[in-house]
Amino acid sequence: MRDFQPGNSREPTPKRQLATVIGMSDTHCPYCALQCAMRLRAGPDGVDVEARDFPTNQGGLCQKGWTSADLLRHPERLTTPLVHDGETLRPATWPEALDRVVAGITAIQERHGRDAVAVFGGGGLTNEKAYALGRFARVALRTSTIDYNGRFCMSSAAAAGNRAFGVDRGLPFPVEDIAAADAVLLVGANPAETMPPFVRHLGGDGLVVVDPRRTATARLAALHLQPTPGTDLALGNGLLHIAITEGHLDRAYVDARTTGFDAVRAAVAQWWPARVERLTGVPVADLYATVERLANAQKAMVLTARGAEQHAKGTDTVTAFVNLALALGLPGRRGSGYGCLTGQGNGQGGREHGQKADQLPGYRRIDDPAARAHVARVWGVAADDIPGAGPSAYELLSSDAVRALLVFGSNPVVSAPRAAGVRRWLGALDLLVVADFVLSETAALADVVLPTAQWAEEDGTMTNLEGRVIRRRRATPPPAGVRTDLAVLAELSGRLGAPTSSDPRTVFAELGRASSGGVADYAGITYERIDAEGGVFWPCPDESHPGTPRLFLDRFATPDGRARFTPVEHRPAAEEPDADFPLYLTTGRVLTQYQSGAQTRRIAALPGDPYVELHPDLASRIGVDDGAPVTVATRRGSATAPARVSTTIRADTVFVPFHYGGANLLTNPALDPISRMPEFKVCAARVAPA
């Protein structure tokens, strides 16, 4: 194991040196969307991790990256299929497990219809697996009922980006551009803990952070805006109001490159600074200072993340900050712009190639006749046989019409909102199939569990937060008895009468053909090009095309080439504090854990336990000391954990990390009407001594 200090992103001194190296690969970290570059050396005693220099991580890794190989030979690794025999899960052979799956699917679809069988994917799946999963659902199962956990992560920013720019690519520029910016407004992001090597791209002097907590990232900033949870949209409108009234509007840019500004100007006229301060709690002076920093910088960035997006008004909240960036003339200007920090490892590629309910490969809309015809030709099926759009993630996970669910790369028992209800729903299914490499909380409920390979045991591609397509390379074979997700999908497809390949290169080549001509066009990207160039930015329509590191330099991806302003109105959170639940609850990530924690909670070198962060004034009022157990309750449930008393949080707010089973027992499943994003980031709560 390695020695490190919290947040360390440089290589610690290794305690172990492999005596014999039997496999080596240059690959990328399995965790966040920064996709830090690493080299794996596999030997008889384990797999060693070395950092590699790459534009995103510049030779650094965080704690999670340094310990990422520890799970490869973990004692809790699944190496044989499991089937439920009525009382418990027991080991089974692959033929028995697959027979059970296919028989269940066939019987349920005959009895309840094709859409009664659903598929749930993940934002950590490779591009090949995300593509294959969407193909499997629509060709082998012929079901419309497919979505993925990225709906809980990126969907609001994606919807806002498509609405404004005609395309959704988290960062429409390389991360190096952020490092060169003179001012950065970072809304609802804490990369110092969620992707520590990214912090080296943030200059402290020009950094403004918006967060209801004084996070590790906020402590690096020149200015920290600490709004009331759920008021970011009003804050964005207020900043734009100041930009206009103080003469910072880039009129030439607005006239030449945008449409819809007059309606937005009228909408934000009512958001004068004093009103914004009363609603958000952000001082007027800080509002003016933020706009001055952005407007006076030669190069400026506006970046959003989950804190702004995971709301029932997340799409409109992101749009408010897009409007601000457009008014200042930032998007499409080299060195400036608007971007979104993608969270999951393949959160970008995972939302491009068909595992979303309304999508076909290449970021095509499933209701577009031309898109359906193109993809049908690649798949060798009739366009009319491709199902239409299905329900979004939370709606899928609560649908009475679904009787069977196949889960790949996700753990919704921990990650879904109102998790107790989701758990009950999963338990009532006729068939639950989970493909995973450990017995996650979701896998423990399954009728069939299929053991699958991990990141270092397979080949494939990922698309990082910049839209750069990169290689995942195998360093070591999976344990005996373990199959890749592609092999599982190919076997199931064949048994259901729709044979397909399990070879990653073959699948990626087909993905390229399916995406050709789409918004996210990978047609010109090959494994060989990625190897030679260190990654290729999409869109890349043919092999002579250089790729597109920077979007929008000449035009936006809208029919008229102009970006669209959209007026948005602030509205309260779906659930505001009241006499019974007088506090705000918000959730988020911590340094040592990742997503549902199914991986990181099993790594001894990544310490972490659930806690409830609350302000000293609140702790005093309810009579608890630091470390004492407290119970947080909402209208959906309750959870108990030690109190962490800190002045970094507002006195009206409590914070719970979501990597543990308790947080999403509390959260509100109210959905954004456009993105269908649940409101993870704010709900009404109360807290008391346990």
Side-chain angles (χ1 to χ4, degrees):
M1 208 56 61
R2 297 178 176 275
D3 296 322
F4 49 73
Q5 297 298 317
N8 183 21
S9 62
R10 287 294 181 187
E11 182 172 9
T13 302
K15 291 184 177 179
R16 178 189 66 214
Q17 294 290 338
L18 296 175
T20 305
V21 176
I22 57 177
M24 183 176 72
S25 73
D26 285 351
T27 189
H28 294 264
C29 180
Y31 293 120
C32 79
L34 198 60
Q35 285 293 287
C36 296
M38 57 172 56
R39 176 168 294 153
L40 302 181
R41 298 179 186 271
D45 302 322
V47 177
D48 201 26
V49 175
E50 299 175 6
R52 286 194 298 125
D53 191 37
F54 199 71
T56 53
N57 62 305
Q58 298 179 345
L61 294 174
C62 75
Q63 298 178 23
K64 295 184 288 289
W66 287 120
T67 59
S68 56
D70 291 8
L71 202 60
L72 296 172
R73 303 188 184 185
H74 195 278
E76 294 184 40
R77 208 47 214 276
L78 297 176
T79 58
T80 186
L82 304 173
V83 299
H84 207 282
D85 63 5
E87 294 184 3
T88 187
L89 287 167
R90 62 166 175 82
T93 65
W94 274 98
E96 179 188 5
L98 295 171
D99 286 346
R100 176 86 69 95
V101 174
V102 173
I105 289 171
T106 303
I108 289 166
Q109 289 193 320
E110 287 177 352
R111 188 179 309 121
H112 300 288
R114 291 192 176 275
D115 287 349
V117 176
V119 178
F120 198 79
L125 299 177
T126 63
N127 291 316
E128 292 81 357
K129 290 191 281 188
Y131 169 81
L133 197 63
R135 190 187 196 281
F136 169 74
R138 292 170 177 119
V139 177
L141 297 177
R142 291 183 63 184
T143 181
S144 68
T145 319
I146 176 173
D147 211 51
Y148 79 127
N149 65 15
R151 180 77 64 174
F152 300 154
C153 182
M154 293 299 307
S155 58
S156 292
N162 281 319
R163 182 161 70 178
F165 309 123
V167 65
D168 157 41
R169 199 178 89 184
L171 294 182
F173 40 73
V175 292
E176 300 100 304
D177 286 6
I178 301 173
D182 304 300
V184 175
L185 175 62
L186 188 60
V187 186
N190 183 19
E193 294 193 71
T194 60
M195 49 176 70
F198 179 83
V199 172
R200 63 193 62 196
H201 300 288
L202 296 173
D205 291 345
L207 178 62
V208 180
V209 170
V210 178
D211 200 300
R213 301 168 60 228
R214 187 163 179 78
T215 62
T217 306
R219 291 194 291 272
L220 299 174
L223 183 60
H224 174 210
L225 312 185
Q226 198 167 9
T228 302
T231 64
D232 290 340
L233 200 164
L235 176 65
N237 278 349
L239 295 174
L240 179 53
H241 176 101
I242 292 172
I244 295 170
T245 58
E246 293 300 301
H248 297 306
L249 177 70
D250 189 333
R251 186 80 246 186
Y253 173 95
V254 168
D255 290 344
R257 302 207 60 188
T258 74
T259 61
F261 172 71
D262 288 343
V264 169
R265 178 172 55 189
V268 301
Q270 61 183 309
W271 290 101
W272 55 90
R275 183 187 181 198
V276 174
E277 178 179 358
R278 283 196 302 273
L279 183 67
T280 67
V282 177
V284 167
D286 289 349
L287 299 174
Y288 277 96
T290 298
V291 174
E292 290 293 328
R293 285 179 186 275
L294 291 172
N296 293 331
Q298 288 189 338
K299 298 177 180 179
M301 298 278 186
V302 176
L303 306 176
T304 65
R306 306 303 82 71
E309 298 154 15
Q310 288 180 321
H311 295 269
K313 55 179 182 292
T315 303
D316 285 352
T317 299
V318 174
T319 296
F321 288 97
V322 170
N323 288 339
L324 173 65
L326 288 171
L328 296 174
L330 305 182
R333 198 174 89 203
R334 187 177 289 271
S336 296
Y338 163 80
C340 169
L341 298 185
T342 302
Q344 294 194 71
N346 201 29
Q348 182 66 56
R351 67 182 188 265
E352 295 169 356
H353 297 300
Q355 63 175 335
K356 280 181 70 178
D358 57 355
Q359 187 190 82
L360 290 172
Y363 222 124
R364 288 181 161 90
R365 291 183 57 89
I366 203 166
D367 59 0
D368 178 358
R372 295 171 64 86
H374 172 83
V375 174
R377 286 192 295 272
V378 175
W379 287 349
V381 300
D384 289 344
D385 288 342
I386 297 177
S392 70
Y394 181 73
E395 292 163 307
L396 186 161
L397 294 172
S398 56
S399 171
D400 292 336
V402 173
R403 301 307 314 148
L405 180 67
L406 286 76
V407 179
F408 288 79
S410 189
N411 186 17
V413 167
V414 175
S415 62
R418 201 171 191 170
V422 171
R423 185 185 186 95
R424 288 192 296 271
W425 180 86
L426 291 169
L429 293 173
D430 297 330
L431 177 67
L432 174 61
V433 180
V434 177
D436 212 329
F437 46 82
V438 293
L439 195 68
S440 69
E441 289 83 352
T442 304
L445 302 178
D447 298 290
V448 181
V449 181
L450 304 175
T452 53
Q454 289 196 58
W455 59 287
E457 301 162 350
E458 61 184 4
D459 289 312
T461 62
M462 306 284 276
T463 304
N464 73 0
L465 78 174
E466 313 163 290
R468 189 194 310 248
V469 185
I470 55 179
R471 280 288 308 280
R472 172 176 284 183
R473 299 177 180 87
R474 187 171 110 156
T476 184
V482 171
R483 300 186 182 183
T484 67
D485 289 307
L486 287 180
V488 171
L489 290 169
E491 177 71 17
L492 290 174
S493 293
R495 286 168 173 250
L496 292 166
T500 188
S501 177
S502 64
D503 174 63
R505 285 177 181 265
T506 302
V507 174
F508 187 75
E510 183 178 299
L511 180 160
R513 296 192 298 275
S515 72
S516 179
V519 173
D521 192 334
Y522 284 35
I525 305 177
T526 64
Y527 278 30
E528 291 74 21
R529 276 197 70 179
I530 297 171
D531 291 344
E533 300 173 26
V536 181
F537 291 86
W538 70 259
C540 183
D542 58 65
E543 291 192 35
S544 66
H545 192 281
T548 314
R550 295 174 180 84
L551 297 174
F552 315 143
L553 294 180
D554 300 314
R555 69 188 312 275
F556 294 96
T558 56
D560 62 3
R562 291 170 174 260
R564 303 185 186 98
F565 280 96
T566 301
V568 288
E569 285 297 332
H570 171 75
R571 51 195 182 273
E575 185 179 87
E576 286 280 296
D578 58 18
D580 293 327
F581 298 93
L583 302 170
Y584 293 100
L585 169 70
T586 190
T587 66
R589 302 179 185 180
V590 297
L591 175 65
T592 60
Q593 301 299 315
Y594 179 72
Q595 297 300 91
S596 77
Q599 300 166 78
T600 49
R601 283 188 280 117
R602 287 175 164 84
I603 296 177
L606 295 177
D609 292 296
Y611 62 88
V612 178
E613 184 176 285
L614 64 163
H615 192 274
D617 291 349
L618 176 58
S620 176
R621 193 160 70 244
I622 65 173
V624 299
D625 296 323
D626 189 65
V630 295
T631 296
V632 180
T634 71
R635 289 181 173 85
R636 288 150 295 281
S638 62
T640 300
R644 182 173 294 183
V645 180
S646 174
T647 57
T648 61
I649 193 166
R650 295 171 53 99
D652 60 359
T653 303
V654 294
F655 168 83
V656 178
F658 64 60
H659 312 288
Y660 311 95
N664 281 321
L665 297 173
L666 311 172
T667 48
N668 191 351
L671 300 180
D672 182 296
I674 299 171
S675 68
R676 316 308 287 169
M677 166 76 81
E679 189 147 79
F680 287 104
K681 280 292 183 275
V682 59
C683 67
R686 62 173 177 253
V687 62

